[in-house]
Amino acid sequence: MRNPMDENTVFMNRELSWLKFNERVLEEAENEKTPFCERLSFASIYQSNLDEFFMVRVGSLIDQQNVDPDMRENKTGMTPGEQLSAILPAVRKLNARKDKVYASLMEQLEMKGVRLVDFRKIGRQESEQLERYFDSQIAPLISPSIVGRRQPFPFLSSREIYAVVVLTRKNGKNKLGIIPCNTNVFPRLIEVSAKDKTYMLAEELILHFIPKVFQGYYVKSKSLLRVTRNADIDADALYDDDLDYREFMVALIKKRKRLAPVRLELSRELDGEIVDTLCEYMDVKREYVFRNNTPLDLSFLFQIQDILRQKPELFYGRRIPQKSPMFDSSRPILAQIREGDKLLTYPYESMKPFLEMLQQAANDDAVVSIKMTLYRVAKQSKVVEALIEAAENGKEVLVLVELKARFDEENNIEWSRRLEAAGCSVIYGLDGYKVHSKLCLITRREDDQTVYYTQIGTGNYNEKTARVYTDLSLMTARPEIGHEAAKVFNALAKDEVVEETEQLLVAPHCLQNKVLDLMDGEIARARAGEPAYIGIKINSLTDKAIIDKLIEASCAGVHIDLIVRGICCLIAGVPGKTENIRVISIVGRFLEHSRIYIFGPRERAKVFIASADYMTRNTLRRVEVAAPILDENIRMRLLDQFETMLRDNVQAREMQPDGSYLRREPGEEAPLSAQETFYQQAYDAVAK
């Protein structure tokens, strides 16, 4: 197998880079400086991240291996098989750390007055009490099955927990018994003692009393089991033009739930032959079986947090999105935007001005139309409610609802139905492209003129995530921006993509090429002996064309700062190749989600905010929008924020020339958390 980290390489495999990101998440669970209950969150997030990684990325690699085993990815040249061979031991190594930190967290949990126990840690009286609870509250609700010649192996739902038991009778023939443990009828956390705040997981209770379920059999061995299924479906490849697209997506979601398993997790050791039998039934290779020393689903840790909610010292300090000083709540929002560009920074500032803008537009007689792209929205969405109200008030409302927003399809399908019922014109994405842009256009008639009010963001129109994701929202009445936004919506309405722009960067045809041109401009200045700079803040960097250009820029002497939260396929600091590139990753209380592009030193910097990461799927296979920051005050504000993030020595890790990440420490400098700094600035702005 080729080594993805050969000496002096400047490329890192995408999947291995993602695992390094999830390692940084796990580090926050390990970090004693992180409040205890927040460490529980990071442990659960680590696991849910890994679930999705197997469902999407590992599933995709297995599919590739089956179709074209000699296919090589374009950066490290690894085949699907080589990538899988590198991923699996890396995951086992990380999971060993997860098991260790979980054990430590449970020890500390007891010191805080809450116990999570199994039958080895309780007395006879408690055991008898739990048996009565099992007999009356759980046994009547479970659905056991036995696998035999006349009883086929049952379908196991993805990420659900099952109790599996090896049964035998006098004839010595083994049979498998299986019981679903997630019925959504009984609670996951079973109270053992309210006085002592002692709890047991429902699946452990079921597993313990499983002999009572399979009476007449001898229990040879037992374990909890959890299967993860492939969720990587190419909707465009499967779509039939004769089908209703929304109903097609409904069917596709159902199909995803039954796709092939890509991972099997066990809570206890089972005989090798039994494991082989399970693998055979589910068509899983032995190397995809993982033995865990932690519960197979850590989502219950959020319930533990609720039990400890009365101890605020165990959580991050309370922070509330603040009122933006750029808006006057006593005046109409559109009038204020007409006077000058406005910027909201989430979660430090409230989303309320944007929501008020939509609400006011919905009830403004002069507003002709509202057009918007929706990728992910809240379950109870004030954004969608405002659009529905606008349509009911007789305004033209055009909404592109992206039904292919992975794992949010069902929510988007339901909202699309409600929008249509209210009289909105709904588009379900484009043929061959996801629409990932965050774009809103309000058209208003003022003094016999058409005036555009445009909002361009880096994050979804989701009130819930706006409180925990860092994002940017630009609102402007500049006609040059509005006309190009209208051009984007006109193209979408015709099932087309924009071919040419002047102000906005619009993927798939007018973003990557323009970014490369802007980088070429900095390269030319560096070669001419002038100061040159590139600063980028994104979630992921995988686009080979952009990576190659960054390497070229580094070799030309351009100073480059990259703030990349997740995947980064470029290795910084390699002598003679990327020595002028610095890469940092910030993983902290809030999920870093904003995208900022900077070209040129501070005094002449061209600054953009964008919906697009530098991934090929974003730059060439999605509709994405980046907007130039033309207001000088906002431009300087974003540059200040970028420089603050570069100085973070609390939550930032810096990439080393070997591809590893090293957490920055304050040393002699004062501790600086960019996220806490921005929140304090938001509080201070209100206090003035």
Side-chain angles (χ1 to χ4, degrees):
M1 187 183 81
R2 59 181 67 225
N3 182 359
M5 291 300 299
D6 288 332
E7 187 178 1
N8 292 326
T9 185
V10 292
F11 297 112
M12 184 181 297
N13 173 262
R14 167 189 170 139
E15 319 308 344
L16 300 182
S17 180
W18 185 92
L19 288 174
K20 289 180 182 293
F21 157 66
N22 211 28
E23 180 180 12
R24 299 193 287 278
V25 173
L26 186 60
E27 285 174 359
E28 288 305 299
E30 296 170 329
N31 187 2
E32 295 284 350
K33 295 179 182 178
T34 302
F36 176 78
C37 282
E38 309 298 347
R39 294 175 65 194
L40 297 179
S41 292
F42 281 111
S44 184
I45 292 167
Y46 163 84
Q47 186 202 51
S48 60
N49 282 350
L50 197 60
D51 286 348
E52 186 170 334
F53 178 71
F54 269 87
M55 291 164 68
V56 178
R57 298 307 308 167
V58 173
S60 176
L61 286 172
I62 291 172
D63 289 344
Q64 289 177 25
Q65 187 179 35
N66 291 335
V67 173
D68 185 359
D70 296 323
M71 178 192 304
R72 297 190 180 276
E73 56 102 344
N74 66 352
K75 288 173 277 292
T76 60
M78 297 173 73
T79 65
E82 289 172 340
Q83 293 178 72
L84 290 167
S85 295
I87 287 168
L88 297 178
V91 170
R92 295 185 196 281
K93 186 175 179 181
L94 283 176
N95 278 348
R97 284 175 62 180
K98 181 256 298 180
D99 290 348
K100 184 177 179 181
V101 70
Y102 176 83
S104 173
L105 288 170
M106 290 303 100
E107 288 179 8
Q108 294 178 54
L109 182 64
E110 288 199 24
M111 297 167 58
K112 291 165 175 53
V114 179
R115 297 174 66 219
L116 186 70
V117 299
D118 56 28
F119 280 87
R120 294 169 298 178
K121 296 182 179 180
I122 60 175
R124 178 179 176 182
Q125 184 177 351
E126 291 170 320
S127 180
E128 290 175 350
Q129 171 195 328
L130 286 171
E131 184 171 7
R132 289 192 295 271
Y133 181 88
F134 175 81
D135 290 341
S136 64
Q137 301 297 320
I138 293 183
L141 300 174
I142 58 178
S143 302
S145 60
I146 291 179
V147 181
R149 285 191 303 172
R150 292 184 174 86
Q151 300 91 12
F153 192 85
F155 177 80
L156 304 186
S157 298
S158 185
R159 294 181 292 172
E160 298 291 333
I161 297 174
Y162 296 83
V164 59
V165 57
V166 182
L167 305 168
T168 188
R169 279 181 168 159
K170 291 181 180 179
N171 60 15
K173 290 184 178 180
N174 290 336
K175 288 190 174 184
L176 286 178
I178 296 176
I179 300 176
C181 296
N182 293 345
T183 67
N184 296 321
V185 177
F186 44 79
R188 176 94 186 278
L189 275 183
I190 306 296
E191 190 174 76
V192 179
S193 170
K195 181 181 177 181
D196 298 329
K197 292 185 179 179
T198 302
Y199 301 87
M200 180 179 290
L201 292 173
E203 61 263 29
E204 289 291 341
L205 186 64
I206 293 171
L207 192 68
H208 181 78
F209 289 115
I210 213 165
K212 302 188 72 168
V213 179
F214 297 105
Q215 293 183 12
Y217 288 92
Y218 170 70
V219 175
K220 293 185 67 175
S221 59
K222 59 186 179 179
S223 176
L224 296 171
L225 176 152
R226 184 172 182 258
V227 62
T228 308
R229 293 183 178 275
N230 191 343
D232 190 52
I233 298 178
D234 185 350
D236 290 316
L238 297 174
Y239 180 56
D240 184 335
D241 287 333
D242 293 332
L243 298 175
D244 175 271
Y245 192 71
R246 184 168 59 198
E247 296 311 311
F248 163 74
M249 288 302 299
V250 171
L252 200 65
I253 293 164
K254 292 179 181 178
K255 181 176 180 180
R256 172 192 286 162
K257 295 175 181 178
R258 302 189 67 86
L259 288 179
V262 293
R263 179 180 57 168
L264 180 62
E265 296 174 281
L266 297 171
S267 69
R268 289 162 174 76
E269 293 292 345
L270 291 176
D271 182 87
E273 289 186 11
I274 300 301
V275 175
D276 289 340
T277 299
L278 288 169
C279 289
E280 184 179 348
Y281 276 128
M282 287 184 284
D283 195 21
V284 176
K285 292 182 179 179
R286 188 68 180 267
E287 56 262 39
Y288 294 95
V289 178
F290 291 81
R291 163 81 168 83
N292 287 347
N293 290 321
T294 64
L296 301 184
D297 178 354
L298 295 180
S299 60
F300 74 91
L301 292 176
F302 293 111
Q303 292 175 260
I304 298 289
Q305 285 182 328
D306 292 338
I307 296 168
L308 293 168
R309 195 64 63 180
Q310 299 305 315
K311 297 184 177 183
E313 69 276 10
L314 302 182
F315 296 84
Y316 288 127
R318 182 174 169 80
R319 288 292 199 183
I320 301 173
Q322 296 295 291
K323 176 184 175 183
S324 168
M326 299 195 82
F327 288 96
D328 179 352
S329 58
S330 67
R331 299 176 56 218
I333 299 295
L334 294 182
Q336 296 179 64
I337 296 172
R338 187 77 186 269
E339 294 168 358
D341 294 353
K342 304 289 187 272
L343 181 77
L344 294 175
T345 62
Y346 308 144
Y348 317 110
E349 294 175 329
S350 171
M351 192 184 188
K352 190 175 180 181
F354 172 73
L355 297 174
E356 288 180 346
M357 179 189 76
L358 284 181
Q359 191 67 45
Q360 290 171 15
N363 293 281
D364 185 341
D365 291 340
V367 168
V368 177
S369 69
I370 303 175
K371 300 179 181 181
M372 202 167 187
T373 59
L374 296 181
Y375 192 74
R376 300 187 197 275
V377 294
K379 297 287 185 184
Q380 304 295 325
S381 175
K382 293 180 181 178
V383 172
V384 178
E385 288 173 1
L387 295 173
I388 289 172
E389 185 172 355
E392 291 173 345
N393 288 339
K395 304 187 186 308
E396 178 195 354
V397 178
L398 174 69
V399 187
L400 189 143
V401 181
E402 181 50 78
L403 298 187
K404 292 176 288 185
R406 182 176 275 130
F407 305 126
D408 265 7
E409 298 98 336
E410 290 177 89
N411 189 43
N412 287 3
I413 287 168
E414 180 57 33
W415 278 123
S416 73
R417 288 176 174 145
R418 289 187 58 184
L419 287 162
E420 277 189 347
C424 301
S425 298
V426 179
I427 306 171
Y428 305 124
L430 296 184
D431 186 19
Y433 299 101
K434 274 189 181 181
V435 179
H436 189 251
S437 57
K438 324 301 178 188
L439 187 63
C440 176
L441 180 67
I442 297 171
T443 305
R444 194 171 188 268
R445 291 294 292 170
E446 300 176 12
D447 300 325
D448 295 327
Q449 291 184 323
T450 299
V451 178
Y452 290 126
Y453 295 88
T454 311
Q455 183 275 339
I456 302 165
T458 65
N460 299 303
Y461 299 114
N462 188 318
E463 301 94 303
K464 184 177 179 180
T465 57
R467 299 176 71 90
V468 290
Y469 288 15
T470 73
D471 271 308
L472 302 166
S473 176
L474 174 70
M475 289 172 270
T476 180
R478 293 178 185 268
E480 64 271 33
I481 300 295
H483 279 98
E484 292 205 345
K487 190 175 179 181
V488 172
F489 280 109
N490 289 339
L492 293 175
K494 295 185 290 184
D495 197 27
E496 298 174 353
V497 294
V498 172
E499 298 292 342
E500 186 178 345
T501 60
E502 292 293 330
Q503 297 291 330
L504 301 178
L505 312 183
V506 183
H509 294 160
C510 308
L511 192 145
Q512 186 201 65
N513 55 342
K514 290 180 178 288
V515 165
L516 295 174
D517 288 344
L518 288 161
M519 290 181 177
D520 278 332
E522 294 307 303
I523 292 171
R525 287 178 180 269
R527 287 173 176 162
E530 300 175 28
Y533 180 76
I534 296 171
I536 305 295
K537 180 182 184 294
I538 48 179
N539 299 324
S540 299
L541 173 62
T542 67
D543 187 310
K544 180 68 160 50
I546 290 178
I547 291 173
D548 287 341
K549 187 62 68 176
L550 288 169
I551 296 169
E552 181 185 346
S554 174
C555 293
V558 180
H559 179 74
I560 302 168
D561 287 318
L562 304 177
I563 304 173
V564 186
R565 184 194 80 224
I567 302 167
C568 184
C569 293
L570 171 66
I571 299 176
V574 177
K577 296 179 180 179
T578 58
E579 59 189 10
N580 289 313
I581 299 177
R582 171 173 51 167
V583 174
I584 71 166
S585 171
I586 296 175
V587 177
R589 174 175 185 172
F590 306 109
L591 184 114
E592 289 293 336
H593 194 256
S594 58
R595 289 93 164 185
I596 304 172
Y597 310 162
I598 301 169
F599 304 98
R602 186 181 181 91
E603 61 276 6
R604 62 170 179 82
K606 295 180 180 178
V607 180
F608 297 80
I609 67 167
S611 61
D613 290 315
Y614 285 172
M615 305 178 76
T616 307
R617 72 179 191 190
N618 297 96
T619 58
L620 296 179
R621 294 198 293 271
R622 289 184 176 182
V623 175
E624 305 271 13
V625 175
I629 302 301
L630 304 176
D631 180 276
E632 181 62 14
N633 290 331
I634 295 176
R635 186 180 77 92
M636 298 305 290
R637 182 181 171 192
L638 288 176
L639 290 172
D640 288 343
Q641 286 195 357
F642 191 84
E643 290 169 8
T644 298
M645 286 184 276
L646 289 176
R647 297 198 306 273
D648 190 308
N649 56 19
V650 174
Q651 299 299 151
R653 284 86 165 166
E654 187 162 350
M655 183 189 282
Q656 305 302 299
D658 64 354
S660 65
Y661 284 79
L662 185 64
R663 182 190 284 272
R664 287 178 172 175
E665 299 292 343
E668 296 181 0
E669 300 174 344
L672 189 154
S673 163
Q675 294 182 352
E676 283 300 313
T677 298
F678 298 149
Y679 236 127
Q680 192 56 52
Q681 289 173 352
Y683 273 86
D684 292 344
V686 171
K688 288 182 180 178

